[in-house]
Structure formats: structure tokens, C-alpha cells
Amino acid sequence: MKLREEQIFGIARKVVANMTGESFRTIAHSVVSYEADVTKLMPVIKEINEGVPKEKRLSINTVMLGILCEAIKAAPIVNSHLEFNSRLVRGKLKVYDTINISMPMVLPSGEMMTINMRDMDSKTLTEMGEAINDTVRKVKNTDFNEALYNVSLHDTLEGLKHGKVLQALRRLYGSKMPGEHKVNLLKGEEKKKYYAIPESDRLSQKELEQGTITISNLGSIYREGTNRCYLLEIVPPQTCVIALLSIRKEAVVVTDENGEDKIEVRQILPMTFAFDHRAYDYCVLIPLLRRLDEIFADPSVIKEWL
């Protein structure tokens, strides 16, 4: 075989590889698909954005985050962290009121990193849009080697408090030992210059920590795609992850006001929900899915969330 290239994992790739690997080693994944008919929603978004400057318009991504937050409120158990000891068969589910959305973003380097969008349950759609725009601004000023190393160090020290000595030693060895796998951090004047940037202008540790639930908009990076998502990794200790795909036109059977079935071209946004079957069963998602049905049937309700 002829080798094309070798790519040594940077810290961002290491974080993703470690967390996703742990996910599939430890979590009992169960997946549900949902076909959202957004035909009525799109004109409402267009109406809301009429006359609004481009930089302040609500994106489909922002609106969908708002819709999903409302749906999550109908099934709050999915907004949770699981503590489970497989050896002792002991489990504890921590359900949160605050919805902190872990949202993957594309970095300037082309890599993806999950950012913690905090307190999304208490924000209006306008505030959500502003928070996302502000996060994008901070991403551009952030050195992710420095930021992720600080988060990893914090997690390692927390692990030590809980007796995870071997894990801590392995992490320190992997990041500090000389060689091609060593994490290269800023030094000297570059380091001073970076940390002189106020935290309000770069991502802080709390914005790179775990959220309470992950929502990934795959459609935003491949809008012309007709792909579907059949499996998602849940990042522990979270118990649920949601993926949004791109909107496409599909032939759908609809029932008119006379009770007659007919075929119409509708705008469909496929969604995928993966949940940890150790934490709860499929029936838990039913109120969430029904709330989505209600919103997409009468999307004018989003005007009240501005």
C-alpha cells in the first residue's frame, strides 16, 4: 500500500476521539427518526425576517433550537446526565431545569468543536440568535489548543478528586511527554498576548464544558444534501442527542378538510433522536414528539417567542 499522508491528532481531535469512543463503549444507544413537515413554518420565518437587517435575521437553525427547547420542556427527562456503575449495577439520573445545548460548530481550521450554548430555555428567539452570533465571534478569537487543554486539565483534576488516578496519569503523560503527540501550547509573548484578550471576547471554560443535551444541525453544513442520519453518538454523561438534516421537498400523503387523502409536495426536515436506553425508555419521548407535531401544525406560535 502506498501511504498518502499521516495526520497526528491535535487536541481537538483527541477530545472528539476520546468522548465518542467512550460513548459507543458504554452507552446503550436507541434511535428514533422524526420527519418534520416545515411547509407552514418557512413562510412564518420569512414573515418575521421581513424588513430586518441581514445580520439580525433569524436563521432556520435558531428557530429550530427554539422549537426543540419548547419540545424538550414537554419531556424534561431527556435534558439529563446519567451516572451509572455497571459493576455494581447502580444508576442515578440528574434531570436539569436549565437547557444548556451542546452545539457543534465548524472552527476556522475546518475542524468541528462542540460549544456549550447556556440557558437556552430562558432566551427568546432573538436572544438565541444574538448568543449564537456572539459565540461565532468568540470562536474567531480563541486558541483551541489553549482552551481545550485548560478544560482537559480541569476534568483531569476533577477525576483525581474522585479517585481516577490512573486516568489522570495517562492523560498527563499523553499531553506532556516529548514527541509528535505532545500538545503544543502558546509560549512567551504569544501566550501573554492571547490571555490579554478579555474572556468576553474569547471562549471560556464554561462554554467548552458539557451541556445538558446535544443538538447538531448537519443540514447547515450540507444544505443541498439528501442524506439521512441513522446513528448518533451520545456524549456521556448526557442521555440524548438530536440531529437536524437539510430540508428537502418530498411527496407526502395529506388529508384535506373533507377527509380526503391526496399527494402534495411538502418541505420535510428529517430529524434523528438518539437516547441512552439505560436512562429511560422510548415512551419518554412521546410528549416531546407530540409537542413538535403541535408546533409544526401551527407554527405561528413562534411569533410569541421573539
Side-chain angles (χ1 to χ4, degrees):
M1 294 182 293
K2 184 179 179 180
L3 180 65
R4 180 173 180 172
E5 64 176 321
E6 286 187 340
Q7 296 183 354
I8 304 300
F9 281 10
I11 191 166
R13 195 73 247 153
K14 287 180 180 180
V15 169
V16 173
N18 184 62
M19 296 304 292
T20 55
E22 182 182 349
S23 172
F24 283 110
R25 284 194 302 271
T26 61
I27 292 178
H29 288 72
S30 188
V31 181
V32 178
S33 62
Y34 178 87
E35 304 282 311
D37 187 337
V38 296
T39 309
K40 294 180 180 179
L41 174 66
M42 302 309 288
V44 176
I45 297 175
K46 183 177 180 181
E47 180 186 342
I48 289 171
N49 285 329
E50 282 181 1
V52 178
K54 186 176 181 179
E55 65 275 9
K56 293 186 178 182
R57 292 175 190 168
L58 290 179
S59 67
I60 296 172
N61 181 64
T62 300
V63 172
M64 286 306 303
L65 288 181
I67 289 172
L68 286 168
C69 278
E70 288 299 310
I72 289 166
K73 291 174 185 177
I77 197 171
V78 304
N79 189 51
S80 60
H81 285 177
L82 174 66
E83 292 180 2
F84 185 75
N85 187 317
S86 58
R87 292 180 179 179
L88 299 177
V89 197
R90 293 176 179 175
K92 179 191 295 184
L93 197 61
K94 297 181 177 180
V95 183
Y96 298 98
D97 280 333
T98 302
I99 301 175
N100 293 338
I101 297 176
S102 293
M103 187 173 75
M105 285 188 174
V106 179
L107 306 180
S109 65
E111 293 180 291
M112 293 193 74
M113 183 50 56
T114 301
I115 312 299
N116 189 342
M117 304 300 302
R118 305 178 75 88
D119 305 315
M120 297 299 268
D121 58 297
S122 62
K123 288 181 169 60
T124 64
L125 287 178
T126 302
E127 290 169 340
M128 283 185 180
E130 291 171 348
I132 293 170
N133 289 338
D134 191 50
T135 300
V136 170
R137 177 185 65 84
K138 291 180 180 180
V139 164
K140 295 175 182 177
N141 295 328
T142 301
D143 184 295
F144 278 85
N145 274 357
E146 289 290 327
L148 289 173
Y149 181 80
N150 289 334
V151 172
S152 179
L153 182 61
H154 176 267
D155 290 345
T156 300
L157 294 175
E158 285 297 309
L160 276 174
K161 292 180 183 178
H162 293 87
K164 298 180 180 180
V165 178
L166 187 58
Q167 180 191 73
L169 291 174
R170 285 171 175 168
R171 286 184 174 183
L172 290 171
Y173 176 85
S175 63
K176 285 296 187 181
M177 286 301 292
E180 59 186 4
H181 296 285
K182 181 181 178 181
V183 177
N184 295 312
L185 301 175
L186 297 175
K187 297 179 181 178
E189 289 300 317
E190 279 190 332
K191 186 171 185 176
K192 289 181 181 178
K193 184 177 179 181
Y194 176 70
Y195 284 101
I197 300 172
E199 277 205 355
S200 58
D201 291 329
R202 56 182 169 87
L203 293 177
S204 63
Q205 180 176 307
K206 69 178 183 179
E207 291 164 308
L208 291 168
E209 292 173 341
Q210 277 279 11
T212 55
I213 189 168
T214 295
I215 300 177
S216 180
N217 189 349
L218 305 177
S220 66
I221 57 175
Y222 188 28
R223 293 178 182 174
E224 69 276 20
T226 57
N227 53 301
R228 295 180 184 273
C229 178
Y230 297 103
L231 182 60
L232 289 164
E233 72 275 0
I234 302 160
V235 179
Q238 294 178 14
T239 64
C240 185
V241 56
I242 305 168
L244 309 178
L245 281 296
S246 55
I247 298 172
R248 77 281 303 271
K249 292 181 180 179
E250 293 187 3
V252 178
V253 177
V254 297
T255 305
D256 63 22
E257 62 275 9
N258 299 316
E260 298 291 330
D261 288 341
K262 58 182 180 179
I263 297 175
E264 289 187 0
V265 176
R266 311 287 289 185
Q267 290 177 287
I268 303 298
L269 193 162
M271 302 166 62
T272 304
F273 296 80
F275 65 93
D276 190 339
H277 215 319
R278 299 175 303 170
Y280 41 80
D281 299 314
Y282 169 76
C283 58
V284 163
L285 271 72
I286 302 302
L288 184 156
L289 300 177
R290 284 183 173 152
R291 182 61 179 138
L292 289 177
D293 289 341
E294 294 171 358
I295 295 169
F296 292 124
D298 182 17
S300 62
V301 68
I302 72 171
K303 295 179 183 178
E304 301 173 10
W305 306 345
L306 297 175

